[in-house]
Amino acid sequence: MSKQFLQTHTIPDAHITDIFSLAVTPTALISASGSSSIKIHSTATGTQIHADSAVEENPFPLVQTLEKAHSLGCHHVCAAAEGKVFATSGFEGDVKVWEVKEGREEWTLRGTLKDDKAGEQWALALSPDGLFLAATTHDGRVNVYDTSKIVGEVKDASKVVQFETKGSFGMCVDISPNGEMTASGHQNGSVYIFNNATKRLAHSLSGLVKPVRAVSFSPANKYLAAAGDARLIALYDTQSGKQVANLTGQSSWIMSLSWNWSGEYLLSGSYDGKAKIWSLDRRECVATQTESEKCLWSVKWLPKSASARNEMFVAAGAGRSLSFYREASGT
């Protein structure tokens, strides 16, 4: 049985350049692009509208712009599940940690991580509680930092742990929802899972021989999805390290992955502008949205509110717009 999703809202020219990365909190969508500004849209109203509700003129209002956040633009943004911390990495080499304090609505800069060595931070992931930040490097390492120590301008910050791999550029990283595992994907097709408690490599995963651009743990921590230039999504069991499935049918590089709240569906965005939704149970694609012919750099499910019957996701990329899709009623 296929699913149907309808494009319900578009924010055109949300940024003046390609939107490279998206992150979500329980109430906000954070977008980063090749321009120097980070933009934050509220999702508090938009995600509660039902498919049969009256159309809201501006369901995802822009609530804050962080001007000149990264002078040369921003390539990655990630947010902690608890919703009070997010982090960004810029083309100038800096990593910035942002926070919203209790009782406040405005995000402010907590600290900047600077490093004299080039290529020390690329892809980012925050632990669910926002206490730890993982960053990949040009030579395959995964550095993990204590975010509470990134206050003000910090140079050559001490690392909680440094995971070593075989030296290939780290293109993506994720921390599991329970905070127990870190996964990284690399330019040579390697995928690794590390145990955060023992600070050791748990699994070196096979199956992808081309650059891996996205890794994502399922909500229940059972699976790791990995994808990239091989044009398929590999699913791994996180406990055994065994590859349990290949999801095939994408005709272009896969740039981004996102699990829905229940772990039943996996969303992918690709270089050819297509967003696909995959059923974990059926191991197949159940919906395809052709956003445009321009690259989708990032796709994200929006948090499902308790009152909403229908799930939503957002897609962004070279088209510079934010496009919102809602599951059609009855599918």
Side-chain angles (χ1 to χ4, degrees), residues 184-195:
S184 61
H186 298 260
Q187 190 172 21
N188 64 0
S190 298
V191 179
Y192 301 96
I193 297 178
F194 301 94
N195 184 307

Side-chain angles (χ1 to χ4, degrees), residues 3 35 46 48 70 79 94 115 118 167 179-180 195 211 240 252-253 277-278 285 304 313:
K3 294 177 75 69
S35 66
Q48 295 185 29
H70 290 278
D94 293 349
D115 205 297
E180 295 178 0
N195 184 307
S240 68
S252 186
W253 297 349
I277 295 162
W278 308 82
C285 177
K304 187 174 183 291
F313 70 86

Side-chain angles (χ1 to χ4, degrees), residues 6 8 26 30 32 48 86 105 109 112-113 131 141 162 180-181 186 194 206 245 257 285 287 290 308 310-311 315 331:
L6 307 174
T8 60
I30 305 157
Q48 295 185 29
F86 76 85
E105 295 183 359
L109 180 64
T112 301
L113 182 61
L131 297 179
R141 289 170 290 117
Q162 180 174 274
E180 295 178 0
M181 296 172 283
H186 298 260
F194 301 94
S206 60
L257 295 171
C285 177
T290 304
N310 309 84
E311 291 194 80
T331 68

Side-chain angles (χ1 to χ4, degrees), residues 297-329:
W297 291 110
S298 188
V299 292
K300 285 284 183 185
W301 290 100
L302 296 179
K304 187 174 183 291
S305 67
S307 61
R309 298 195 303 267
N310 309 84
E311 291 194 80
M312 294 192 70
F313 70 86
V314 59
R320 306 177 184 180
S321 62
L322 294 171
S323 297
F324 298 85
Y325 294 84
R326 183 184 302 282
E327 181 183 6
S329 295

Side-chain angles (χ1 to χ4, degrees), residues 171-173 183-192 205-217 224-236 243 245-248 250 252-259 266-271 276 278 297 299:
M171 301 184 75
C172 51
V173 66
S184 61
H186 298 260
Q187 190 172 21
N188 64 0
S190 298
V191 179
Y192 301 96
L205 307 175
S206 60
L208 294 168
V209 294
K210 295 183 178 181
V212 179
R213 298 179 183 271
V215 289
S216 184
F217 285 101
L224 177 74
D229 293 10
R231 304 182 185 187
L232 59 84
I233 302 170
L235 277 181
Y236 302 95
Q243 188 172 347
N246 275 338
L247 305 180
T248 59
Q250 199 93 43
S252 186
W253 297 349
I254 299 169
M255 313 303 293
S256 179
L257 295 171
S258 178
W259 292 89
L266 181 63
L267 172 65
S268 66
S270 62
Y271 190 80
K276 287 182 177 286
W278 308 82
W297 291 110
V299 292

Side-chain angles (χ1 to χ4, degrees), residues 31-313:
S31 56
S33 72
S35 66
S36 62
S37 299
I38 308 294
K39 295 194 176 183
I40 301 164
H41 288 81
S42 172
T43 60
T45 301
T47 54
Q48 295 185 29
I49 302 170
H50 302 311
D52 50 2
S53 299
V55 176
E56 180 88 10
E57 185 176 345
N58 188 16
F60 303 100
L62 177 66
V63 292
Q64 190 176 357
T65 300
L66 300 171
E67 302 282 2
K68 299 179 181 178
H70 290 278
S71 59
L72 300 179
C74 177
H75 49 80
H76 282 89
V77 57
C78 64
E82 50 84 62
K84 302 296 183 184
V85 178
F86 76 85
T88 55
S89 52
F91 287 103
E92 80 286 351
D94 293 349
V95 168
K96 296 190 175 185
V97 177
W98 309 82
E99 64 181 357
V100 59
K101 293 184 177 175
E102 201 67 42
R104 301 285 186 90
E105 295 183 359
E106 293 267 311
W107 290 88
T108 56
L109 180 64
R110 178 197 290 175
T112 301
L113 182 61
K114 289 182 173 287
D115 205 297
D116 292 335
K117 292 170 64 179
E120 279 297 285
Q121 293 98 19
W122 181 252
L124 302 177
L126 277 164
S127 60
D129 55 15
L131 297 179
F132 298 99
L133 174 69
T136 63
T137 70
H138 70 101
D139 58 2
R141 289 170 290 117
V142 180
N143 295 323
V144 181
Y145 302 92
D146 180 343
T147 59
S148 68
K149 296 181 179 178
I150 304 175
V151 179
E153 189 171 299
V154 181
K155 286 192 174 182
D156 301 316
S158 60
K159 304 172 181 70
V160 176
V161 63
Q162 180 174 274
F163 295 123
E164 299 282 351
T165 68
K166 293 182 179 179
S168 177
F169 174 52
M171 301 184 75
C172 51
V173 66
D174 194 26
I175 296 177
S176 61
N178 62 7
E180 295 178 0
M181 296 172 283
T182 298
S184 61
H186 298 260
Q187 190 172 21
N188 64 0
S190 298
V191 179
Y192 301 96
I193 297 178
F194 301 94
N195 184 307
N196 293 341
T198 64
K199 300 182 180 180
R200 294 181 179 274
L201 176 68
H203 303 292
S204 176
L205 307 175
S206 60
L208 294 168
V209 294
K210 295 183 178 181
V212 179
R213 298 179 183 271
V215 289
S216 184
F217 285 101
S218 65
N221 313 288
K222 185 177 181 181
Y223 298 109
L224 177 74
D229 293 10
R231 304 182 185 187
L232 59 84
I233 302 170
L235 277 181
Y236 302 95
D237 183 293
T238 58
Q239 295 307 305
S240 68
K242 292 182 179 178
Q243 188 172 347
V244 296
N246 275 338
L247 305 180
T248 59
Q250 199 93 43
S251 58
S252 186
W253 297 349
I254 299 169
M255 313 303 293
S256 179
L257 295 171
S258 178
W259 292 89
N260 78 327
W261 69 277
S262 66
E264 295 174 276
Y265 297 101
L266 181 63
L267 172 65
S268 66
S270 62
Y271 190 80
D272 60 3
K274 289 183 172 60
K276 287 182 177 286
I277 295 162
W278 308 82
S279 165
L280 187 66
D281 184 44
R282 295 171 57 184
R283 302 287 204 265
E284 65 182 13
C285 177
V286 294
T288 300
Q289 302 295 142
T290 304
E291 164 58 24
S292 73
E293 293 182 356
K294 296 180 178 179
C295 173
L296 287 183
W297 291 110
S298 188
V299 292
K300 285 284 183 185
W301 290 100
L302 296 179
K304 187 174 183 291
S305 67
S307 61
R309 298 195 303 267
N310 309 84
E311 291 194 80
M312 294 192 70
F313 70 86

